[in-house]
Amino acid sequence: MPLPEFAIIIPACNEAACIGAVLDELVAAVDPEKFVIAVGVNGSSDATAQLARQRPVLVAETERRGYGHGCQAAIDLTNNLFPAIRAYLFCAGDGATDPHDLRPLVAAFEQGYDFVLGSRTKRLRNWRTMTLRHLVANAALGLWCGALCGRPFSDLGPLRIIGRRLFEKIALKEMTFGWTIEAQIAAARVGATICEIPVSERRRIAGKQKVSGVT
C-alpha cells in the first residue's frame, strides 16, 4: 500500500462544537492513499481530542496553547509515523476551509512551487464572509510583509501548503498568533518559490475565532 505524501495539519483548541463535522467533510473529500490528516489539539479544555479520535485521523495533544504549538505537535506525530511526507497542508479547524480548495494548492506544489498560499481576499464573494476589520488587517499585514521581505502578500490565510524541506529550513519560532506571518516572511527571505491561489472563506461552524479575532 502506498504511503501518503501530504499531511493535512489542523490546529484545534476548544473546537468540540465543530471538529467532528470538519473532519468528516475532509475525510470524505481526500484520497487516504495520498493524504494523512493530523489534528494538533493545543491547550483544549473540552472534548476536541476525544471527538477527533473517533475519526480516521492522527491526533496529537499538547498542553501548550497556541496555533503554532498545535501545528508542530501534529507535524511531529506525522513525521514519526510517515517519514516520507513531502509537504504540509495547513487548514482551519473551524469549517472555514473548503476541502475542494486543497486540490489546486497541491497541483501548484507539484508544478514546482515551495509555498502555495490560499488567498481569500482575491475572491470577491469572500468579502461578504470576512469582516471589514479582517480584510483591512490582512491587507495591511500583507504590505508589512512586503516591507520586511520584499515580497508583498494579499492575505495571511490559514490554508497553505509548504514543502517539507522549506518548512525545516525556515524553522519557525513564533508558536502563537504569529505562526502564519512568520512563515510567509521567512519563506520569501530564503528565496522560496511562492504563489497565491484564490480560495473560499466560509463562516466558521461554531465556537470563537482565536487568531484573527485577536486585536
Side-chain angles (χ1 to χ4, degrees), residues 10-193:
I10 304 174
C13 175
N14 291 338
E15 300 288 11
C18 57
I19 195 64
V22 169
L23 293 176
D24 289 342
E25 182 183 33
L26 193 55
V27 167
V30 301
D31 180 357
E33 293 188 356
K34 190 172 184 178
F35 298 90
V36 59
I37 302 169
V39 181
V41 182
N42 60 101
S44 278
S45 57
D46 65 4
T48 298
Q50 295 94 311
L51 290 168
R53 286 196 172 93
Q54 295 173 10
R55 276 78 186 175
V57 304
L58 303 180
V59 181
E61 288 190 77
T62 175
E63 295 181 357
R64 294 174 293 182
R65 188 167 185 173
Y67 190 93
H69 288 302
C71 289
Q72 193 62 59
I75 288 169
D76 290 342
L77 176 59
T78 301
N79 289 347
N80 287 336
L81 297 175
F82 300 100
I85 289 294
R86 294 171 53 206
Y88 308 111
L89 264 161
F90 297 90
C91 297
D94 56 13
T97 297
D98 185 340
H100 294 97
D101 285 329
L102 272 62
R103 189 175 302 164
L105 268 70
V106 172
F109 173 79
E110 292 185 322
Q111 289 170 8
Y113 287 100
D114 302 314
F115 188 123
V116 186
L117 175 68
S119 173
R120 301 161 298 176
T121 61
K122 287 189 173 185
R123 190 165 283 175
L124 288 177
R125 65 173 177 266
N126 293 334
W127 293 27
R128 294 193 298 269
T129 304
M130 301 171 72
T131 64
L132 178 61
R133 182 185 71 171
H134 198 176
L135 287 165
V136 171
N138 274 269
L141 288 170
L143 292 173
W144 180 56
C145 279
L148 292 174
C149 65
R151 203 277 186 198
F153 291 90
S154 65
D155 197 5
L156 305 177
L159 180 57
R160 55 189 57 202
I161 184 170
I162 304 177
R164 182 173 179 176
R165 289 183 181 178
L166 172 61
F167 182 82
E168 293 174 350
K169 183 176 184 179
I170 61 180
L172 301 178
K173 297 179 176 62
E174 172 50 58
M175 304 302 285
T176 54
F177 304 113
W179 171 271
T180 56
I181 194 169
E182 183 189 6
Q184 292 175 216
I185 293 172
R189 283 182 168 174
V190 300
T193 53

